[in-house]
Amino acid sequence: MAFINQSMTIRILWVICIAFTLSGCLENDKARAQFENYQSRLASVLDTEPFLLSAPSYIELPRKRDLTLPVEDVRMGLLDAYELRTCGLFQLIADRNSILGKVQDGFRQLQYEITLLSTLEKCLNQIETESLKTQLESAYQQKREQFPTVYWNTISTSDAWRKQLTPSSSALILPGEPFPHSDALVALTGYANLSEDSTDIVTLQEPLEKQRYLGNVFYSMDESTRWLTATTRQLYRDDALIVCGANRDPTRLNYMRNVFDKFFVGEVQPYLSKINSLYLDAQPALLQLNEKLPEHPLLNEYRNAYFAGKHYQAFQNATKDHVQYWQRLFQRCNIKVGN
């Protein structure tokens, strides 16, 4: 019997520990707590229930193996020709075919392709053997055509890019605290502007991998849209409960105004502005990337949402709709507020 009691005690303690752990996780997600607090206070003022949230709209990055596009090998004969040794092509290809060369990551593979293109162009200007020149011209043209695919494969399959495009956790970006992203933004811009003449591609890899920026912004933006949309629908649902005008009890209206000032203007709106600014910082580079990437059916939904800005437009619309409700309420009740 004592053993059973001890077992039950351990089980109860375990459940309590789990509860405290979950509570700690929720407390750490301060942004989500702000949205939840704002929505629940509005419901409390009008003695209603918070409006249920819609399903999450965040789109996960597809699996690496599903996104990789094949790149056909370009075969070149006469690689031992003396002319190819003098222009540097022989050694470049030899290094690529070595054991280390065959296990290069995405960024080094992209660097190799760019170096190969520039070396091929250099050799074409130096060699005189007509048969060799014809082969190199064909190889050069093939490599140029393949470049967008290699560029794409680096984004879709490299660990650095996949970390950059994936949220670091299920928590939203913290409100009221700096969000370091300058190094990643510089690397993102550099990659978006990358061309066949670029150098030092590998230097972009580390900041993209270590400073998790885009994935966190995309996720926080979508969750903000979800919370804001639910709260706006709740306000319209309960609008008839707010009465105003002569000979009307203004208590509820005053409470609503206090919630607006303290929790929306004081907390939620600054957070929305922060997420908006973080996305706008990256938007020029995202639009450039969207133009350069080849079509891929498994990535189209993701790129339309975040690179082309479809979900950013939804975020803006949700913010606008929410503010417009308050403007209409204050106009209906003849309340003047600041900007």
Side-chain angles (χ1 to χ4, degrees):
M1 194 68 167
F3 174 77
I4 295 175
N5 289 336
Q6 184 180 16
S7 177
M8 290 180 63
T9 301
I10 293 174
R11 185 177 302 175
I12 292 171
L13 289 174
W14 180 81
V15 171
I16 292 174
C17 287
I18 292 295
F20 273 113
T21 301
L22 292 174
S23 175
C25 291
L26 293 174
E27 288 177 1
N28 289 334
D29 198 344
K30 295 180 181 178
R32 188 174 274 109
Q34 282 186 352
F35 284 113
E36 185 175 11
N37 186 42
Y38 173 51
Q39 186 191 30
S40 63
R41 286 180 181 273
L42 290 172
S44 178
V45 167
L46 300 177
D47 196 23
T48 62
E49 293 296 322
F51 199 93
L52 293 178
L53 273 68
S54 61
S57 61
Y58 176 72
I59 301 170
E60 292 187 358
L61 190 66
R63 296 179 302 178
K64 181 188 299 188
R65 67 184 183 185
D66 294 333
L67 294 178
T68 306
L69 294 175
V71 179
E72 185 180 353
D73 285 339
V74 177
R75 301 291 181 180
M76 289 182 287
L78 304 176
L79 285 180
D80 58 345
Y82 179 76
E83 290 169 288
L84 296 185
R85 293 177 181 270
T86 57
C87 69
L89 185 60
F90 178 85
Q91 188 60 49
L92 180 65
I93 295 176
D95 291 341
R96 175 69 178 87
N97 290 332
S98 67
I99 295 176
L100 291 177
K102 290 179 179 180
V103 294
Q104 289 178 337
D105 59 30
F107 279 83
R108 284 173 174 77
Q109 173 64 27
L110 182 60
Q111 181 74 73
Y112 166 77
E113 294 292 330
I114 290 176
T115 305
L116 179 61
L117 279 170
S118 63
T119 306
L120 281 168
E121 188 173 17
K122 174 184 174 183
C123 289
L124 282 170
N125 293 326
Q126 291 183 7
I127 63 173
E128 297 179 356
T129 305
E130 201 62 36
S131 60
L132 184 56
K133 192 169 186 177
T134 300
Q135 287 190 57
L136 293 186
E137 285 175 345
S138 176
Y140 180 71
Q141 187 58 38
Q142 284 181 270
K143 282 297 179 182
R144 289 200 64 181
E145 292 172 358
Q146 290 178 352
F147 183 76
T149 302
V150 180
Y151 182 86
W152 152 254
N153 281 346
T154 305
I155 292 179
S156 63
T157 64
S158 70
D159 290 339
W161 262 113
R162 292 189 68 84
K163 285 183 179 180
Q164 182 60 222
L165 296 174
T166 304
S168 56
S169 72
S170 60
L172 278 64
I173 291 173
L174 288 171
E177 294 185 17
F179 181 71
H181 67 291
S182 57
D183 291 343
L185 181 60
V186 170
L188 170 65
T189 304
Y191 196 93
N193 292 321
L194 189 148
S195 69
E196 298 168 13
D197 300 322
S198 301
T199 58
D200 296 331
I201 310 303
V202 178
T203 60
L204 304 176
Q205 183 172 3
E206 185 174 351
L208 285 173
E209 186 171 13
K210 290 188 174 180
Q211 206 168 58
R212 307 285 286 272
Y213 170 31
L214 293 178
N216 289 326
V217 172
F218 298 159
Y219 180 74
S220 298
M221 179 174 67
D222 281 350
E223 285 296 284
S224 297
T225 300
R226 192 161 73 111
W227 276 98
L228 205 57
T229 300
T231 306
T232 304
R233 290 174 178 172
Q234 176 182 314
L235 286 169
Y236 277 107
R237 181 198 66 188
D238 300 340
D239 187 63
L241 299 174
I242 306 172
V243 293
C244 53
N247 301 320
R248 296 285 189 173
D249 184 358
T251 302
R252 276 186 168 178
L253 178 60
N254 290 336
Y255 283 152
M256 289 289 285
R257 171 68 187 275
N258 288 337
V259 172
F260 170 79
D261 286 337
K262 183 174 181 180
F263 298 103
F264 180 69
V265 176
E267 295 180 0
V268 173
Q269 194 174 48
Y271 184 75
L272 297 174
S273 179
K274 177 178 183 176
I275 299 301
N276 186 71
S277 296
L278 288 171
Y279 183 87
L280 288 180
D281 284 346
Q283 190 179 49
L286 292 173
L287 291 174
Q288 284 181 281
L289 286 172
N290 192 54
E291 291 177 359
K292 287 185 175 184
L293 296 180
E295 288 293 325
H296 194 296
L298 291 179
L299 191 78
N300 284 345
E301 185 181 18
Y302 186 95
R303 65 185 286 184
N304 287 335
Y306 304 120
F307 289 12
K310 183 178 179 180
H311 280 207
Y312 174 64
Q313 187 62 51
F315 170 78
Q316 286 188 308
N317 290 340
T319 303
K320 181 181 178 181
D321 291 344
H322 192 79
V323 171
Q324 282 182 341
Y325 169 81
W326 285 109
Q327 289 174 336
R328 290 169 182 169
L329 174 65
F330 293 148
Q331 185 177 15
R332 174 165 71 86
C333 296
N334 197 28
I335 294 177
K336 293 183 179 180
V337 295
N339 293 330

